[in-house]
Amino acid sequence: VSTQSTWGYLQLKMEGGPALVIILGVVVLIFALGFHRIEEGHVGVYFRGGALLPETTEPGYNWMFPFITSHDNVQVTVQTDKVTNIPCGTSGGVLIFFDKVEVVNRLKKKMVWDTIRNYTTAYDKTWIFDKIHHEINQFCSGHTLEEVYITKFDTLDENLVQALQNDCNKWAPGIEIISIRVTKPRIPQHIAENYERMEKEKTNHKIALEAQKVAETSAQTRRKEATIYAQMEADVSNIKMRKEINETKSLTEKENLVNLMLIQKEEAMATATKIKLEAEAAANKFRLTKEYLELEAMRSLTKNTKFFFGPSIPKYMSENISPILTEQQENKKQHETTSFY
């Protein structure tokens, strides 16, 4: 009985081996198919039976139940969506085309699940691609061709950023609009030629204005140079004139000093002469005696080249010389009396 039981067990085991292998193979296959990779800068979201599952996964290898669960990579880094060939009509009825509008945007990581639940993984089609078409057509319909193409074109990107971000803040707060770049629209060829001609005329006008400004600047520079040169000459003339005045003053002062020295010299000489004469007068006071005067008279007579002969000579001498001697003696006495008092 024991032998039969053992044989039956072995037989049963051999019959169930292929099934076990199949089961193990299916398990391994399911396990292998469930592995998937989430790229860096993305978040993994999962759907089962078309329903969004509540969990999200980080970048790297993750596992899900295959066949009934699917996943999608949702980018959460900065990305650029390019909207191309956008037709719009201006307020004047001219149809133009914007070849490309680039929208730089980002989906906030913490808002991924809510955004995907409300707008699916194609959320950017609703809030970027379709919204760009709508806003550009709104802008064109409210402005003329010249405003869209020239005067207000530089404000279009700012208006688009503000319009998209306002709507996203209200309906899809997970979307962040960073910037928008708009290419110049394509307009009909004949209108483009007119604008090119107008632009050329404006350019020539600007060139003429710039040339006029340069000429005015050059003339103003020349006037300033002439003014500076004239002022320099006036300053030099003033310096020369002050120099001549100072030289004249110096020469006058020098002449005055020389004249003063001469006057002082003359005064000194006059004083010396006066002192000398006074000294001589004082000396003569003692020298004019009667005997000296008679001696001097005799000397004067001896020097006379004329000689007189005859008996009247003594009478002549007594009549002419005696009175002179008498007068000199009286003067001497009067002088002595005056000196005494």
Side-chain angles (χ1 to χ4, degrees), residues 26 29-34 47-50 64-70:
V26 171
L29 179 62
I30 291 174
F31 188 78
L33 292 177
F47 299 89
R48 184 174 295 163
M64 65 180 182
F65 202 92
F67 304 115
I68 61 173
T69 304
S70 61

Side-chain angles (χ1 to χ4, degrees), residues 25 31 75 80 105 116 240 276 289 316:
F31 188 78
Q75 186 174 350
T80 301
N105 63 94
I116 300 303
K240 289 182 177 180
K276 181 181 178 181
T289 62
Y316 174 81

Side-chain angles (χ1 to χ4, degrees), residues 38-221:
I38 303 300
E39 300 292 338
E40 185 65 41
H42 294 70
V43 172
V45 293
Y46 299 89
F47 299 89
R48 184 174 295 163
L52 178 66
L53 298 181
E55 68 271 6
T56 59
T57 57
E58 297 294 329
Y61 284 103
N62 296 276
W63 189 84
M64 65 180 182
F65 202 92
F67 304 115
I68 61 173
T69 304
S70 61
H71 79 284
D72 202 349
N73 285 341
V74 179
Q75 186 174 350
V76 292
T77 56
V78 176
Q79 60 180 331
T80 301
D81 292 325
K82 297 179 181 179
V83 187
T84 59
N85 198 26
I86 306 171
C88 72
T90 64
S91 60
V94 180
L95 182 63
I96 61 177
F97 291 86
F98 287 86
D99 291 330
K100 182 172 63 175
V101 177
E102 296 179 345
V103 182
V104 182
N105 63 94
R106 179 176 61 184
L107 179 61
K108 299 177 182 178
K109 188 175 182 179
K110 63 182 181 179
M111 301 293 295
V112 169
W113 191 83
D114 290 334
T115 304
I116 300 303
R117 183 189 62 178
N118 293 327
Y119 305 108
T120 74
T121 55
Y123 65 90
D124 52 354
K125 181 179 185 303
T126 302
W127 292 111
I128 294 179
F129 288 87
D130 294 345
K131 190 66 176 174
I132 284 294
H133 277 268
H134 172 72
E135 292 297 333
I136 284 185
N137 277 275
Q138 287 289 102
F139 181 81
C140 291
S141 62
H143 297 86
T144 64
L145 176 60
E146 183 178 359
E147 292 175 338
V148 175
Y149 190 67
I150 298 176
T151 57
K152 293 188 177 182
F153 176 76
D154 58 341
T155 65
L156 178 57
D157 51 354
E158 297 177 359
N159 292 335
L160 291 176
V161 170
Q162 185 176 0
L164 266 67
Q165 191 63 67
N166 289 340
D167 286 344
C168 287
N169 291 339
K170 183 177 181 180
W171 302 104
I175 303 174
E176 180 183 3
I177 306 299
I178 299 175
S179 65
I180 294 178
R181 296 185 294 269
V182 183
T183 60
K184 202 76 169 177
R186 284 187 289 111
I187 61 177
Q189 184 63 30
H190 66 283
I191 299 178
E193 291 177 355
N194 291 335
Y195 276 118
E196 289 177 359
R197 185 171 60 255
M198 291 172 58
E199 194 67 25
K200 184 177 180 180
E201 292 177 356
K202 289 181 179 179
T203 302
N204 293 333
H205 181 64
K206 288 182 179 179
I207 292 174
L209 290 178
E210 291 298 325
Q212 183 179 356
K213 290 181 180 179
V214 170
E216 291 177 354
T217 303
S218 299
Q220 186 176 3
T221 302

Side-chain angles (χ1 to χ4, degrees), residues 285 288 331-341:
K285 181 179 66 173
L288 296 175
N331 290 335
K332 179 180 177 183
K333 289 178 181 181
Q334 186 179 2
H335 180 72
E336 289 175 353
T337 303
T338 304
S339 299
F340 176 76
Y341 287 106

